[in-house]
Amino acid sequence: QVQLVESGGGLVQAGGSLRLSCAASRRTFSTYIVGWFRQAPGKEREFVAEIRWNSGNTYYADSVKGRFTISRDSAKNTVYLQMNSLKPEDTAVYYCAADPRLSRGLGGDRESYDYWGQGTQVTVSS
């Protein structure tokens, strides 16, 4: 099974940028859909973005569309989440996840994901 490690979180002012990384170990991402989710205190974990590894097709939550970009680097077996124009409401723990059902339609379904990282904190100050 794949193991996931997130990095790149931190504290940033509103309007700033951060790039999160999700590295895979034990297996490559080549047969997975990889997604980013986030969870703010007292709230449900919510979908942010996902990418189908083999095709590069992506899907975003409306709340981040146009500000966040998910991408992959095959050589590094890593998925990135570039976050621009950050807002205080983006503050959350961000999780990387992997779904082995490569052929399913993209739609941000949290229940589809089998493997999760430990999360990385993103804090956006106003």
Side-chain angles (χ1 to χ4, degrees):
Q1 72 186 44
V2 66
Q3 289 188 331
L4 310 174
V5 178
E6 304 98 332
S7 61
L11 173 64
V12 64
Q13 288 189 328
S17 298
L18 279 175
R19 188 178 78 160
L20 305 183
S21 299
C22 174
S25 63
R26 290 196 173 185
R27 295 195 63 177
T28 70
F29 277 138
S30 61
T31 58
Y32 290 87
I33 292 172
V34 182
W36 286 98
F37 292 77
R38 66 187 182 186
Q39 188 167 18
K43 294 189 176 181
E44 295 279 323
R45 189 170 299 188
E46 66 173 3
F47 168 76
V48 175
E50 62 188 354
I51 185 166
R52 196 190 315 278
W53 187 268
N54 57 344
S55 65
N57 289 345
T58 59
Y59 181 79
Y60 295 91
D62 288 343
S63 58
V64 306
K65 204 172 293 183
R67 299 188 298 123
F68 291 10
T69 302
I70 189 170
S71 63
R72 70 201 193 295
D73 185 327
S74 299
K76 295 183 178 180
N77 203 30
T78 298
V79 170
Y80 301 101
L81 185 69
Q82 178 66 44
M83 306 185 294
N84 298 328
S85 303
L86 283 161
K87 306 175 182 180
E89 51 263 43
D90 294 317
T91 295
V93 177
Y94 283 70
Y95 297 89
C96 175
D99 176 5
R101 290 167 281 275
L102 187 63
S103 62
R104 69 159 171 86
L106 298 182
D109 182 4
R110 186 180 69 187
E111 300 303 318
S112 294
Y113 285 86
D114 293 341
Y115 307 105
W116 294 84
Q118 81 289 350
T120 185
Q121 176 70 47
V122 171
T123 303
V124 184
S125 63
S126 57

